[in-house]
Structure formats: C-alpha cells, structure tokens
Amino acid sequence: MGDPNAKYQSPLTSRYASPEMAANFSNNKRFGTWRRLWYNLAVAEKQLGLGGITDLALDQMKSNVDNIDYEVANQEEKKRRHDVMAHVHAFGLVAPEAAGIIHLGATSCFVTDNADLIIFRDAMDLLIGKLVCVISDLAQFAVKHKDLPTLGFTHFQPAQLTTVGKRATLWIQELLWDLRNMKRARDDLGFRGVKGTTGTQASFLALFAGDHDKVEQLDQLVTELSGFSTCYPVCGQTYSRKIDVDFLSPLASFGATAHRIATDIRLLANLKEIEEPFEKDQIGSSAMAYKRNPMRCERICSLSRHLMVLIGDVLQTASVQWLERTLDDSANRRISIPEACLTADIVLTTMQNVVEGLVVYPKVIERRIRSELPFMATENFIMAMVTKGGDRQECHEQIRVLSHQAAAVVKQEGGDNDLIDRVRACEYFAPIKDDLDELLNPATFIGRAPQQVDNFVANHVAPALAPYSAAIAAKKPAELSV
C-alpha cells in the first residue's frame, strides 16, 4: 500500500466529513448496493417463474454481497474499460452458481442509476437528521434569550431594538424552509426500476416470452425489494437527470441559509456581542496571540459557497442529455453530487458545533444599546412632553439641537453619547426628568419580540420537529476533527 500522503486526497473526506456520510459514498456502499440490486433482480425473476435461477445461486449471491475483491474488479475494469462488467465478473467468481444469471436482462444503468437513487436517499436522511438537531438547538437558544434586548441593524447601521432570541428565529425560519425542501426532495425520489437499455423493457419482455404483465410485475417487485414504493413510469437508458436538479436544489438553497447565518455570527463576533465556541488551547492567529477568529463560521461560509455553485453542474448535465442518454453525465456526477452531500454534511456538523457553544455577552450588548438608545428614545421624549402639555414642534426642535450636539461629541471628539445628560440639564425637559429612566428602559423598545419567539417555537418549530423527536433525543455533541 502506497503512502496516502504522497498523493492528493479530497479534504472533504480526509479533513472534514463525518464518518457516516463518507461511508455512504464509499466504494463498499456503492458496489455492495450493486450486488444487492443484482440479488433483488434475480429473486424477482425467479419468483415470476424465470428458469435457470437456483436457490443455491441466490444463496451464494446473498452471502457474498459484501465480499468484494477490489483487486480482481480493478484488474478486470482495466482490461474491459467497463466498471459494471468488471464487477459482474468479480461477483460471479464468489457466487459461481449465479455467474450465468447475474445482471440477466439488465443494462448498466440498472445498477448504477438505481444504486445512486438509494445512496442519494440515504444521504438526504443523514442530512435531515442533522438539520433538525441544529434547528432544535437554535430554538432552545432563541427561547433562552427571547427577552434579552439587543441593537437591531439594517444596512449594518444601528436600528430599532430587537432581542437576541428574536434574531435567532430569523435563522430558524430559513432552516425550516430548508427542512421542508430537503424532505420534499427525499420523498420525491423514485426508483429507476428495470427498464432495459433504452427504457423500453425489450430485454425483459423477451425473457418472459412476451408477457407484458410479468414485466410490469418484475418492475414493481424489484422496486419494492429495493426499498421504494414507486418507480419512474418512463425513462431512457438513465433516469432523467432532472431528478439530480431536484435533489441538489435544496442543498444549494441550504448553502445560502448557512452562509447567511454564519456571516451574521461573524459580524456579531466583530462587535463582541456573540461568539462561536473557542477552545482552551485553540490558537486564533500564528502572529497575533490575542485573536479569537471565528474560524468555524468562516469555514461554513467557505464551504457553503462551494455547495451553492454545485447546482450549476447538475443543471448543465440535465440540459445536455441527448435523446435516450449520453455518457458525458457520468464523470461529472461522480464528483458533483457526492461533493454536494459531503459539503452539506460538513456545514451542518460545523453549524451544530457552533450553535451548541454560542457565547452571548450581555454586558457588551447593553453597552452598545446605551450608546445608541438615547437617539432612538427621542420620539418617546417628544410624546412624553406632549402628554404633559408641551408643544410637539417646539419639543422636536429642542431635541434636534441637543441630538446634533451629542452626535458631534461622539463623531468629532470620540466621546460618549451624552444626549441624556444634555436632556437632564435642559430646563425645557424638566417635566419629564423623573421619567427618563423608564423612557430609556430597553425592554420597552422590543415590541412583541418575546411573544413572537414563544409563538414561533410553539406553532411552527415544534410541529416541524415532532416527526424527528427520536433523532433529536439521540443527538450527540458535534465534534470537529480540525
């Protein structure tokens, strides 16, 4: 065995991916699935009365599904330039009684396409299981911080207050849409079935001596044996590559969500209001020892960009399939679709790790609110003065002058916002001096944010997560290898 460090390895598997997702796209999974498909086909053919398939043949096939001699298969593929026939040969060597009936009536896409559909569905199950855990963790975070006022930002400029928990619901809502889209794509996956070389089932019609009913029964029986309830009613040699577009679209969309959430956390980390977890021995910079870089969220953004662009591969592949099929889809699909699933898996694991360890700094948040709230509270000052007999226009002018003076101190002198001190010192505002503290209470500026969090979690998050309660209960902390 050569040194694995002497040749390129994809960092998706060597550095980041979870063991379960890497295993889902492994050779063992792919070629083991091929053998299960050949076994299912033989079982169905025998059950429908096709001769020449013995019980011993089926026993040998079943007992050797995972007994794959890759050296034999690789040597045969090098000679034949055909991966499917290489594995037919290798399977036949360990199941000699079945050697003559393996792949009977089938075309290569019987195993390649059907196996892909099985692997894709299993991949989406893994992704959905991780996504619901992220949503669950974020929902707990939202509820915990539903009452904590924080400065809102529009255009990344200070705006009216919201709460830390309410902001998290914006992230959760997009993730719920991603959950809906992934589940729909998963449930929409069908089975290619047994359709023959160009989709006409001619070879199977010949095997069953022109009995159309048995061919239809064979198609449905193999579909059910392979774990699907339905197969695509028509296809060419392959299932339509439009299916790949439908499958990858929700993953690309999720990439946009993940990038947005991670970017928000990066911005808040710069403000020192919220940080991703930072381990005791973690180093933020090789030169600047004090730094606490948001490397996890940066990784999420980096990989999410890759995830978002992979949809272009499957769109282009779907658009250029000629007539019943061309082979220019194969090499591209071997890369783009596994990479999309692996990348989504990595992003989800990293997101879970971040959400589980999010750190909130209430005092920093409070300080920033104090620096901006006086300006935001000026409308409240005006309303309070009017209720005590003041003139709205005169009050507005008084506030305008004092606000500009305070802004000059902040912007030109680098001082603190002293608007409240100016209001207290101004005789005009004497009628409301005793009310200023209450008028400046941040809790009075957050509207219905706490109630919105409670309603959203109870009426939207909880029902969406209910079908996955077992997966959420079994959740383990997300650990990153690097």
Side-chain angles (χ1 to χ4, degrees):
M1 173 100 37
D3 180 3
N5 295 302
K7 62 181 181 180
Y8 175 79
Q9 301 176 63
S10 170
L12 291 178
T13 50
S14 65
R15 187 171 174 84
Y16 300 128
S18 67
E20 57 270 19
M21 187 60 81
N24 189 59
F25 286 94
S26 67
N27 283 340
N28 286 346
K29 175 67 176 282
R30 175 168 302 280
F31 299 124
T33 303
W34 284 13
R35 291 191 174 189
R36 287 176 179 84
L37 287 166
W38 281 319
Y39 173 74
N40 291 343
L41 177 62
V43 167
E45 287 174 336
K46 185 177 191 300
Q47 185 173 323
L48 291 171
L50 197 64
I53 303 174
T54 65
D55 290 338
L56 179 58
L58 295 179
D59 289 343
Q60 289 181 354
M61 293 176 75
K62 185 176 182 179
S63 61
N64 285 283
V65 161
D66 297 313
N67 179 24
I68 302 171
D69 189 330
Y70 286 104
E71 184 176 349
V72 168
N74 292 338
Q75 290 175 353
E76 191 69 14
E77 183 177 359
K78 186 175 182 179
K79 180 169 61 175
R80 304 296 182 186
R81 302 296 180 185
H82 199 290
D83 56 351
V84 173
M85 288 308 298
H87 279 271
V88 168
H89 174 76
F91 198 15
L93 290 180
V94 294
E97 183 69 19
I101 55 92
I102 295 172
H103 200 64
L104 183 60
T107 188
S108 296
C109 288
F110 167 71
V111 287
T112 57
D113 274 29
N114 283 322
D116 280 347
L117 292 164
I118 292 169
I119 291 169
F120 296 168
R121 189 178 63 176
D122 291 349
M124 194 64 87
D125 284 339
L126 290 172
L127 295 176
I128 289 172
K130 296 187 176 189
L131 176 56
V132 296
C133 290
V134 171
I135 294 172
S136 176
D137 287 342
L138 261 181
Q140 293 177 48
F141 177 87
V143 171
K144 179 179 179 180
H145 299 288
K146 67 180 180 179
D147 296 310
L148 180 59
T150 189
L151 194 65
F153 290 93
T154 58
H155 316 278
F156 202 42
Q157 301 300 312
Q160 289 295 320
L161 268 59
T162 182
T163 70
V164 171
K166 170 61 193 303
R167 178 179 283 146
T169 64
L170 304 182
W171 303 336
I172 297 168
Q173 180 167 248
E174 295 189 8
L175 292 171
L176 286 177
W177 291 333
D178 292 320
L179 175 59
R180 174 202 62 194
N181 295 340
M182 288 186 192
K183 183 178 186 303
R184 181 184 299 161
R186 187 260 184 230
D187 292 345
D188 281 351
L189 282 176
F191 196 62
R192 177 190 174 274
V194 290
K195 298 294 196 297
T197 54
T198 57
T200 66
Q201 297 178 309
S203 58
F204 296 105
L205 190 63
L207 281 177
F208 287 100
D211 191 329
H212 291 269
D213 289 340
K214 283 195 173 182
V215 174
E216 291 184 6
Q217 291 174 44
L218 178 71
D219 204 2
Q220 184 60 32
L221 184 53
V222 174
T223 296
E224 293 172 359
L225 287 171
S226 301
F228 288 78
S229 58
T230 59
C231 62
Y232 298 116
V234 294
C235 68
Q237 187 172 93
T238 67
Y239 69 78
S240 170
R241 296 318 185 205
K242 182 82 170 178
I243 301 301
D244 295 344
V245 176
D246 291 347
F247 178 77
L248 248 66
S249 291
L251 303 188
S253 181
F254 163 70
T257 302
H259 198 292
R260 179 265 170 100
I261 294 172
T263 300
D264 281 356
I265 295 173
R266 291 167 67 188
L267 292 171
L268 293 170
N270 175 260
L271 299 177
K272 298 180 174 61
E273 292 188 1
I274 291 180
E275 285 184 343
E276 66 179 40
F278 195 90
E279 296 166 12
K280 176 179 176 291
D281 296 321
Q282 183 174 331
I283 296 174
S285 168
S286 61
M288 296 169 280
Y290 61 88
K291 294 200 74 179
R292 292 168 65 97
N293 297 333
M295 52 81 66
R296 292 167 173 83
C297 286
E298 290 174 316
R299 179 182 298 172
I300 290 170
C301 289
S302 180
L303 290 171
S304 292
R305 291 198 302 272
H306 179 58
L307 179 57
M308 286 186 279
V309 302
L310 287 172
I311 188 65
D313 276 355
V314 292
L315 282 168
Q316 293 185 62
T317 296
S319 72
V320 298
Q321 289 304 287
W322 300 349
L323 306 174
E324 278 64 51
R325 86 83 54 103
T326 62
L327 195 57
D328 61 355
D329 63 333
S330 179
N332 185 294
R333 293 177 70 253
R334 287 174 190 253
I335 299 169
S336 59
I337 302 177
E339 282 201 356
C341 295
L342 288 162
T343 304
D345 171 74
I346 298 161
V347 169
L348 277 166
T349 300
T350 311
M351 283 187 71
Q352 182 183 330
N353 179 268
V354 168
V355 172
E356 288 174 344
L358 273 179
V359 181
V360 179
Y361 296 104
K363 292 300 182 182
V364 177
I365 295 172
E366 181 183 344
R367 184 172 69 242
R368 181 159 287 104
I369 290 175
R370 286 200 306 267
S371 71
E372 298 291 344
L373 191 59
F375 293 134
M376 299 177 190
T378 55
E379 184 70 14
N380 286 12
F381 297 167
I382 294 173
M383 293 301 102
M385 283 294 294
V386 170
T387 61
K388 296 195 176 186
D391 180 275
R392 192 266 176 198
Q393 312 313 331
E394 183 181 357
C395 186
H396 184 279
E397 178 61 16
Q398 292 281 345
I399 284 290
R400 185 189 70 82
V401 172
L402 295 179
S403 296
H404 282 227
Q405 291 171 353
V409 171
V410 173
K411 295 178 180 179
Q412 297 174 20
E413 301 176 18
D416 293 331
N417 188 337
D418 62 358
L419 176 59
I420 302 306
D421 293 335
R422 292 176 184 273
V423 171
R424 291 185 192 277
C426 180
E427 187 61 29
Y428 177 82
F429 290 102
I432 64 168
K433 285 182 180 178
D434 293 339
D435 302 325
L436 286 178
D437 287 342
E438 181 58 28
L439 291 172
L440 287 165
N441 181 357
T444 66
F445 289 82
I446 61 176
R448 297 190 62 253
Q451 291 75 21
Q452 287 181 335
V453 172
D454 285 336
N455 290 340
F456 178 68
V457 171
N459 298 324
H460 297 276
V461 180
L465 297 184
Y468 308 100
S469 57
I472 294 171
K475 178 181 74 72
K476 296 180 180 179
E479 296 184 359
L480 306 183
S481 57
V482 291

